[in-house]
Structure formats: structure tokens, C-alpha cells
Amino acid sequence: MLGVSVLLSTLFSLIVGLVSSEKAVICYYGTWATYRHSYGQYDVENINPYLCTHLIYTFAGIDNTGKIISLDPYLDLSDGRDNFKKFNALKNKNPNLKTLLAVGGWNEGSAKYSKMAASTSRRKNFIDSSLNMITSYGFDGLDLDWEYPNRRDTVYGTADIDNFTTLLREIREAFDKKELLLTAAVSSVREAASQSYNVTAISQYLDIIHIMTYDMHGSWDPVTGHNSPLYKGEGDEGAVKEDLYTIDQALAYWIGAGCPPEKIAVGVPFYGRTFTLSDANVNGVRAAATGAGIAGPYTATNGFLGYNEFCNLLQTESWTQRYDQLAKVPYAFKDYDWVTYDDANSIALKVDYAKSLGIDKIMIWSIETDDFHGLCGDGNNPLLNAINLALDSSFTTNRPSSTSSPDATTSNSDSSAAETSSSSSLPIPSPASSVTPATICQGRLYAPKAGDCSSFYICVIKADGSYEPKEVKCSKGLHWDQTILACNYPSEVKCSA
Ligand SMILES: *[C@@H]1O[C@H](CO)[C@@H](O)[C@H](O)[C@H]1NC(C)=O
Ligand SMILES: *[C@@H]1O[C@H](CO)[C@@H](O)[C@H](O)[C@H]1NC(C)=O
């Protein structure tokens, strides 16, 4: 009897360990926030190194020979503010922290990367110089943000897709010798991602894949829309589900295309986007808009608002706040101004949704627009705390209090213990089922499990084109809903198991 229960608990911890050991809060830091004024200024000293498992420094660039370069030597290097070094010194406070250097980003464009990836010698320049920069400043790895292969100002078009795979394979070979991390930020929805990536191929070489599940709507659209909707929302009734820009569709695409859920980090925005309405009285989702709306006092960009900027406006001005019950995100309007944004609640729902798919990594763009001074009354870093709490409450409670300043905290020795402990709310993939895959998946990305309302299958496409069903359990108390392809309240679901 004892033997059986020991065996069972060993099996259980093995299975739980598979999903819970890789939990991650991956924080991008937009380093130029150092130059913002007053309460918007965010330097390395403002980073709380206990609220992220991974911190990413943005951005390095490349030159015309493919060599990696600092884009702001004054900020990054020792002749100036020395932020490369200060950033990596955060690991002295939290030894479990991993740091990555991001190369690329929107402003770097695609052309230089298209040329670099297409040439054996430029790829070598890139890999050698990256290895050198990373190891000499103490980063734990590289995050590749080529925006995007085969899009924008690409030079080689569709050849970028395979050349990107080749580049990743070669970086992986060089990095494995030094045990460095390799990650990438990728576009999210099918329409974009399917132009840029061979998903099964790149997934082999990347440790973590940062899916940028935001910027789905913004002032470039003729109508209002959400920056980062979880599901299809108000005004989407007639649309074909697969065509919609939503987090659930983006994740369905990536998982269905063969990216293992355990490698996925779901992107969460700490900013909103603003529109100007055509008619102040037509102010819902998908209302006509004439272009970008208000800018924030610190980020000073029309069409964009940091959470730290908007939480303050919501308190000092007369905004009407609404919540899209379908898309699970808030929005707000005032006269001709319309804002889509995320708050602690909508972010927690995103984390829960990720967990329901067996995804335990959340990526954030970007930490310098959280309410890091706690000026809106919910403590310092309310959004980052919401993520830690939703991912695993023991994660946060084992860390030094988030309301104390990072400098006042000294140790984080408990956090590795917290990460390996089991969490009852995480979905637990079961061992392979004896039912043949073809019967379960039938070409679907998600399939219900006969006889078990609280479980479902994610059908992952393997490199050979076959489907492998991965059984996943919904969070406690929820049932799988095949109509919305998500775990849902039992009262909403027709299930007769
Ligand atoms: C880039 O991709 C194209 C198309 O797949 C291929 O012909 C070319 O050889 C690649 N370049 C390198 C250096 O691998
Ligand atoms: C994706 O890459 C794999 C190799 O990893 C290859 O077998 C497959 O043909 C590629 N798919 C496409 C559509 O090019």
C-alpha cells in the first residue's frame, strides 16, 4: 500500500514538475525610459528584480556587416551610464534572475536582418559578436527581435523564412557550448506569423518563444478596437473567428502549427492605445475613428498611453469606463477620446487563459509603464504583481514584499523552492492516451475529451504533418467549452459526461 502511494506521488510530482518547473515572468525593459521626465523616468535602479524571472534589455542593433552593436553607447557602456553592467548586477540581488539582451525591435526594420540571415559570413559576424557582447557583460542569453522575416522592408522576401531557421540553428550550436539562452519575439496572429516563420523548425532551436499578443488594433485602423483582446468581442459578431486578431486565435495558431505550449510565453501589454472618435456619441468597440488619440505626459506619443499614465487620468478626469464582456478587456472614452488598455483584472484573466492551455510563461511589454511608483493607489507595480499572483500565488508570497524598495530587499532564497512546488490550479497534461490521434483530433486544433467535461486536447501538428493530442485539464471548477475553445464556467457549457 505504502509502495503504491509512494509510486503514485512520485509519478504525480514527475508530471507536475514537467509543467510547473518552467514557470516564467519575462520582463522587457525599454531602456530609453531613462530619458523620460519626472515620474515617468525609469532607470535600472527602478527595476524590482524579484518580480521577474527573466529581464530583457532592449535594444541592441546590428551594422551592415551583421555585427551586433550598441544603439546607445552612452546609455549602455562604461564610458556613459554603464547600464549593461548595472542591469546584470541585478543578479547579485536575485541570483535566480536570468538576463537577456534583445537585438532588433521595430525601429531597426527588417532589411539589415534579411541581409544578415542570407549570408554565411554575416551570420558568423552576428553570432561571434553577439557571443562576445553577451558573455563580456554577463547576460544569460540573446533575444532575437527581427521585425519581421519576409515583411516590411525585407530584402530577400520569402527566403527569410528558411534563413531565419538557419540563423537560429547556428546560434543554438554556438550557444549550447556556453549554456546560453536563445529566445525570440514573434508576431502573433496567423495572418502575420504565417508569413514569417516555419513554426516547427524555429521551435526546435528556441528556449522560449515570446508571442507578441498585443498591437492587434490601434489608431492605424479606421475603427476603434482592443489592443489585446482575449476573445472576439463586441462588434465581432459577424466575423469569421479565424480571421480575428485575438489572443485565443493567436495561441491556437502557434500551438496548432507545432509550437510546444511549454515553450510559449504569452505577451501582455502594460500600455494602451488611443483613438479619436469620428462622433463623440458613437463610442463603442468598432466605432468610426479618425486616427490617433491622446498622448501621455511621459511617453509623449500620440496613439499610445502607458498604464502608469492612464491610471492617473482615470482618477483625475471624467472618463466613462466600460468592459467588453466578450473580449475580457476594459476600454474608456471621454468626448472624442477613446482608449483600449489592460488593467490588473484583464491581465489576470489572460494568465488564467494561458494556464488553461498548459502555458506557464508570461511575457511583458514593458515594465517601465507599470505604475512602478504606486501613484494610482494599488501599490508599486500593480500589473506585474497581478501576473505573479495569477501565475502562482506562492511565487509572490515567497518573494520580498513588493512594496519595499528593491534596495531594501536582500535575499530571494525561497523562490526556487516555490517554483518546484506543485500548484493545484495548473493544468496537468496526462500521459499519452491509448486512443489513436487521428480519431481525437480530426484536423481540429482543440478537441473535447469524451467522458470528461473538465479535460480537452490540444492537437499539436508534428513535423511529419501528423497530429498529436495533448490532454490538458481546465483549471479547477471549469469545463471545456468547444464552442469558444476555452475553459469556461460549467453553467455555460453543454457537457453530458
Ligand atoms: C537563404 O534562403 C534561400 C531560400 O531558401 C536559400 O536559397 C539560400 O541558400 C539561403 N541562404 C543561406 C546562406 O543559407
Ligand atoms: C519546416 O522545417 C522543417 C524542418 O525542420 C521542414 O521539414 C519543413 O518542410 C519546413 N516546412 C515548410 C513549410 O517549409
Side-chain angles (χ1 to χ4, degrees), residues 10-201:
T10 306
L11 258 180
F12 182 75
S13 29
L14 265 178
I15 294 165
V16 170
L18 280 180
V19 286
S20 64
S21 61
E22 305 290 346
K23 225 169 273 173
V25 180
I26 300 160
C27 302
Y28 277 100
Y29 168 43
T31 55
W32 52 93
T34 291
Y35 302 121
R36 288 179 190 151
H37 65 81
S38 69
Y39 290 118
Q41 184 184 45
Y42 191 115
D43 209 329
V44 172
E45 293 90 74
N46 294 102
I47 298 173
N48 180 331
Y50 304 103
L51 294 177
C52 307
T53 59
H54 299 68
L55 274 171
I56 307 183
Y57 191 104
T58 65
F59 282 110
I62 62 174
D63 68 15
N64 285 324
T65 69
K67 203 167 151 254
I68 196 168
I69 50 168
S70 163
L71 292 174
D72 186 345
Y74 164 74
L75 188 64
D76 301 339
L77 308 179
S78 58
D79 291 346
R81 301 180 74 131
D82 209 10
N83 274 358
F84 274 176
K85 201 168 132 203
K86 288 179 187 163
F87 189 76
N88 286 300
L90 293 169
K91 291 188 281 188
N92 297 333
K93 293 181 184 167
N94 178 2
N96 295 315
L97 186 65
K98 299 286 181 210
T99 56
L100 294 115
L101 176 61
V103 57
W106 181 262
N107 291 337
E108 274 276 284
S110 181
K112 279 186 290 181
Y113 295 80
S114 181
K115 280 197 241 168
M116 181 267 283
S119 142
T120 311
S121 63
R122 284 183 180 145
R123 286 201 305 264
K124 185 167 169 12
N125 285 344
F126 177 72
I127 296 167
D128 291 348
S129 60
S130 297
L131 255 181
N132 182 46
M133 188 179 268
I134 288 168
T135 51
S136 46
Y137 290 97
F139 288 99
D140 296 298
L142 185 73
D143 181 60
L144 218 59
D145 288 15
W146 174 358
E147 296 188 13
Y148 302 94
N150 188 29
R151 286 179 62 202
R152 301 183 66 204
D153 57 337
T154 171
V155 175
Y156 292 110
T158 52
D160 287 350
I161 301 172
D162 286 341
N163 294 342
F164 184 50
T165 303
T166 307
L167 173 67
L168 293 179
R169 189 182 65 235
E170 291 175 359
I171 301 175
R172 166 55 68 199
E173 282 161 12
F175 276 27
D176 273 352
K177 293 173 198 144
K178 313 226 171 199
E179 293 188 29
L180 293 171
L181 290 168
L182 177 60
T183 64
V186 296
S187 54
S188 66
V189 296
R190 174 193 306 269
E191 187 181 324
S194 62
Q195 292 181 52
S196 297
Y197 316 110
N198 178 331
V199 172
T200 43

Side-chain angles (χ1 to χ4, degrees), residues 221-283:
D221 293 322
V223 293
T224 60
H226 302 301
N227 185 32
S228 182
L230 191 43
Y231 307 111
K232 76 179 203 175
E234 293 172 9
D236 289 338
E237 289 80 8
V240 178
K241 190 162 179 138
E242 287 68 27
D243 295 341
L244 290 170
Y245 293 180
T246 62
I247 295 180
D248 73 331
Q249 283 306 307
L251 295 179
Y253 170 72
W254 276 89
I255 294 172
C259 183
E262 58 269 25
K263 287 198 174 187
I264 292 178
V266 178
V268 166
F270 281 8
Y271 64 91
R273 292 200 167 273
T274 72
F275 298 76
T276 300
L277 294 169
S278 302
D279 177 344
N281 295 312
V282 183
N283 46 30

